[in-house]
Amino acid sequence: MRLPFAPRSLFLLLALLVTLVIFEQFGAFTPAFDKLGLSAESGFLLLFVSLFGSMINLPLFSVSAEAPPAEAVPVALRGLLRHTAREFHGRTLIAINVGGGLIPVLFSLYLIGRGGLSLSTVVAAVGIVAVVSYLISRPLPGIGIGMPIFVAPLAAALTALLLDSEHSAALAYVSGTLGVLIGADLMRFNDIRRMGTPLAAIGGAGTFD
């Protein structure tokens, strides 16, 4: 049975896990967890649950869609992704990824609900990151919505520092999470119908989304 990802991607995932464990042993993540109101144990649990939740997509509904064009996968991506085992039959299943969508949204709501963040500031920050994500992201026929990986984190960090430096860590997480999901996923919903992919997951890049 062929894996959906090339062995190189699986090796990188395992290397990331080892790196996280090593960094945790030196307490490198403790300051970040503290700013988010988490203990080291709960923060690391969030990381691992998000990471492994990236392998789970919860189906929501399906929509009619156009067939993908020939040679839809860009040449630069063919070494990273293997052809999907699922064939396209004119409909796209819309799902939400547990690690890249559901868990980050729930944690964002927790950060907002625990106080400290102004609702108007949150709305403004999320709006800014959503616009940036929409303008930078692009539909990739046969694959999904893609965007440079560092654009959204940088936009979220700078926006949070400018709007509320005192609670910048929490605001950056909330705006980075909700902004990307809104701007690169929900606002590009119509593009999904033209990508010819059998599955489109909100937060489909998992933890990295």
Side-chain angles (χ1 to χ4, degrees), residues 140-190:
L140 301 175
I143 299 179
I145 303 297
M147 65 182 293
I149 191 171
F150 293 114
V151 171
L154 288 175
L158 292 175
T159 300
L161 287 172
L162 290 174
L163 296 183
D164 189 353
S165 59
E166 183 179 354
H167 304 97
S168 58
L171 185 59
Y173 185 95
V174 173
S175 62
T177 296
L178 301 183
V180 170
L181 294 179
I182 293 173
D185 290 338
L186 298 183
M187 290 176 65
R188 288 199 171 275
F189 184 79
N190 288 332

Side-chain angles (χ1 to χ4, degrees), residues 25-47:
Q25 296 303 311
F26 290 96
F29 296 114
T30 301
F33 291 152
D34 287 341
K35 291 182 179 180
L36 292 175
L38 298 173
S39 64
E41 292 77 13
S42 58
F44 223 68
L45 177 62
L46 176 66
L47 282 176

Side-chain angles (χ1 to χ4, degrees), residues 109-130:
L109 295 178
Y110 160 77
L111 291 176
I112 296 173
R114 77 186 181 107
L117 291 176
S118 165
L119 185 58
S120 59
T121 302
V122 170
V123 172
V126 170
I128 292 172
V129 177

Side-chain angles (χ1 to χ4, degrees), residues 16 133 136-137 146-156 176 180 205-209:
L16 175 62
S133 299
I136 298 298
S137 62
M147 65 182 293
I149 191 171
F150 293 114
V151 171
L154 288 175
V180 170
T207 305
F208 297 100
D209 201 315

Side-chain angles (χ1 to χ4, degrees), residues 52-139:
F52 287 104
S54 301
M55 297 182 289
I56 304 173
N57 290 313
L58 301 179
L60 300 176
F61 56 90
S62 64
V63 296
S64 58
E66 301 174 5
E71 300 295 328
V73 180
V75 176
L77 298 180
R78 291 176 190 168
L80 296 177
L81 296 173
R82 297 189 176 191
H83 293 294
T84 178
R86 299 183 58 186
E87 296 182 0
F88 179 71
H89 296 291
R91 297 193 68 82
T92 294
L93 177 65
I94 307 299
I96 182 168
N97 186 270
V98 174
L102 184 60
I103 292 176
V105 167
L106 293 177
F107 186 60
S108 294
L109 295 178
Y110 160 77
L111 291 176
I112 296 173
R114 77 186 181 107
L117 291 176
S118 165
L119 185 58
S120 59
T121 302
V122 170
V123 172
V126 170
I128 292 172
V129 177
V131 170
V132 171
S133 299
Y134 178 78
L135 294 176
I136 298 298
S137 62
R138 293 290 184 271

